[in-house]
Amino acid sequence: MKTLCSLVCAVSVVMSGTAFAAPTLDQAVHSSTRDARFVARDPIRHPLEELQFFGLRPDANVIEIWPGGGYWTQILGPYLHEKGTYTLAFGLEDKSGSAFGKMLDTHPELKGMFRTTKFDGQHLDFAPPDSADFVLTFRNLHNWMEAGNAPQMLAAIHRVLKSGGIFGVEDHRGQTTAPQDPRAEDGYVRQSYAISLIEKAGFKLVGSSEINANPRDTANWPKGVWTLPPTFALGGKDRAKYAAIGEGDNFVLKFKKIDR
């Protein structure tokens, strides 16, 4: 039976009749074509430093799981398209009219810069085994925990990575004084819990970064992490207070695949 990765399609990119020259990572991050709303978050999200921390290379085979609204696609697509391979793994939540689809409508030049694959809770083979140099996911681990399939997702990621391949993870850091909710319904994951969960799946932690730390975030809010910007789940209530706190405190972790 064919796996869902047979849905992957690749197209070459030609712009203005000539091959599109791939930018450096620094140039990709500072490109004038990126959405202003994304660029405005760069001082908080530190995309250049984070991708450098993961050790990204322009010739790498990279899979990003759940690309959300496309923040990273506008950087990774141009950076990887000439020498590398960039695959977006979409889940069931990525339907017609999604934030990513709307972003792509305004940036049609990106359509030739990535491949796509789909997966769901029953079919997690989103790429061939031992094929990826990097698998990256940004602020999604808590979603897998809430869905109850984090171990299965991590096992699937382990399968698709090459031996020694890198798994890069960013997520909202939970309190160290409170027990971890295994469903992470407030959007927060204790860093030690995340490390333990991921290492049980066959990975070894090889680095952590504090570039996205925010000590003002106590990880204890009425609507979880979504109380804070950019979501502001309480609407106008205490908006100035939460704006001053800023986006959630985030850990950035780098793991290497260990062969079982």
Side-chain angles (χ1 to χ4, degrees):
M1 178 171 49
K2 293 182 179 179
T3 64
L4 284 173
C5 55
S6 64
L7 297 173
V8 174
C9 62
V11 291
S12 60
V13 177
V14 176
M15 299 184 67
S16 303
T18 59
F20 186 89
T24 65
L25 187 55
D26 183 79
Q27 289 170 336
V29 169
H30 295 102
S31 171
S32 61
T33 63
R34 291 180 62 216
D35 282 7
R37 63 193 173 96
F38 291 158
V39 174
R41 298 180 69 191
D42 286 356
I44 300 166
R45 303 202 67 175
H46 304 98
L48 178 61
E49 294 86 348
E50 186 159 346
L51 294 174
Q52 288 174 333
F53 169 72
F54 291 144
L56 206 65
R57 312 185 310 269
D59 62 346
N61 182 350
V62 178
I63 299 174
E64 181 187 354
I65 301 179
W66 283 1
Y71 176 92
W72 296 96
T73 303
Q74 291 188 4
I75 298 170
L76 294 174
Y79 176 66
L80 293 166
H81 93 274
E82 186 174 280
K83 297 179 180 179
T85 304
Y86 178 40
T87 301
L88 301 179
F90 291 100
L92 292 178
E93 80 290 344
D94 296 296
K95 299 180 174 64
S96 176
S98 67
F100 184 88
K102 292 176 181 177
M103 183 281 295
L104 204 57
D105 287 342
T106 62
H107 290 274
E109 75 279 2
L110 293 174
K111 292 181 179 179
M113 296 185 182
F114 58 86
R115 303 176 177 185
T116 63
T117 186
K118 295 183 180 180
F119 66 93
D120 59 35
Q122 302 301 316
H123 303 280
L124 292 177
D125 295 324
F126 49 82
D130 305 308
S131 64
D133 297 300
F134 294 83
V135 173
L136 307 178
T137 195
F138 304 93
R139 307 184 183 190
N140 289 314
L141 178 61
H142 68 273
N143 291 311
W144 305 339
M145 291 170 61
E146 183 179 19
N149 66 355
Q152 291 81 4
M153 283 295 303
L154 295 171
I157 291 167
H158 190 275
R159 283 195 299 273
V160 305
L161 276 168
K162 297 176 183 178
S163 179
I166 297 299
F167 178 37
V169 185
E170 175 192 333
D171 215 330
H172 314 299
R173 179 161 37 205
Q175 298 180 28
T176 59
T177 56
Q180 176 65 51
D181 171 11
R183 294 282 180 173
E185 292 185 355
D186 61 359
Y188 286 103
V189 184
R190 289 181 60 170
Q191 183 167 325
S192 60
Y193 187 93
I195 293 170
S196 176
L197 187 65
I198 295 169
E199 288 194 329
K200 284 179 182 177
F203 295 93
K204 179 182 179 181
L205 180 70
V206 293
S208 63
S209 173
E210 291 296 302
I211 54 174
N212 291 338
N214 180 1
R216 296 184 298 276
D217 177 15
T218 64
N220 184 20
W221 310 112
K223 295 288 186 179
V225 70
W226 303 283
T227 308
L228 303 176
T231 307
F232 290 109
L234 294 178
K237 183 179 180 181
D238 294 327
R239 189 179 182 93
K241 167 187 171 181
Y242 295 122
I245 292 167
E247 293 196 25
D249 178 33
N250 288 278
F251 58 70
V252 178
L253 304 175
K254 179 180 179 180
F255 295 87
K256 180 180 291 188
K257 174 179 175 176
I258 305 301
D259 293 328
R260 293 176 179 268

